Amino acid sequence: MPAAADLAHPAADRIELVDVLAALGHPVRLEIVRKLASGAEAFCGEVVPDLPRSSVTHHLRTLRESGVICQRPQGRKLYLALRRDDLELRFPGLLELVLACRSRPLDSECDEQPL
């Protein structure tokens, strides 16, 4: 379990679009974000229960360092939350667009209005 000091989160004004898109471009990380989209903080084991610990650590670090999620240790548990407000301030509409689109073939449209 990482120490609290090891959990660096970028300031909202330092979140970069290229980093967010790279983080959201992996299916596992996108699924983590979808599970956190309700807005409720979730225990790490609830969000990614079936992956090896090393993979979980990598995916969560990528999401955290890109500014997509925040992590909060409490005792032996690690809690996750989506940085929805920060992402909306930096990139209005991006998160909603990403969450509205499902993994589909390239010729299909998102659940919402087409671009």
Side-chain angles (χ1 to χ4, degrees):
M1 175 76 64
D6 295 338
L7 298 177
H9 299 85
D13 64 342
R14 297 286 193 174
I15 298 173
E16 298 292 332
L17 181 60
V18 68
D19 296 330
V20 171
L21 293 175
L24 295 174
H26 192 282
V28 170
R29 293 191 290 264
L30 186 55
E31 187 59 30
I32 292 168
V33 169
R34 284 193 174 117
K35 289 180 180 178
L36 295 172
S38 71
E41 192 175 56
F43 165 58
C44 178
E46 297 170 333
V47 177
V48 282
D50 299 328
L51 290 176
R53 187 172 181 160
S54 61
S55 294
V56 171
T57 300
H58 167 73
H59 291 307
L60 295 181
R61 181 183 316 121
T62 300
L63 288 167
R64 185 187 73 246
E65 290 177 352
S66 68
V68 175
I69 66 168
C70 60
Q71 294 176 293
R72 180 181 62 82
Q74 183 174 342
R76 297 184 58 120
K77 292 187 176 185
L78 187 62
Y79 289 88
L80 313 172
L82 188 58
R83 293 181 67 180
R84 185 182 291 273
D85 292 341
D86 291 338
L87 292 170
E88 186 61 26
L89 283 172
R90 286 289 282 158
F91 315 109
L94 175 68
L95 189 57
E96 290 307 315
L97 180 63
V98 168
L99 292 172
C101 292
R102 303 281 183 226
S103 296
R104 296 184 184 180
L106 293 177
D107 61 344
S108 65
E109 296 178 5
C110 295
D111 294 340
E112 301 294 320
Q113 296 292 321
L115 297 176

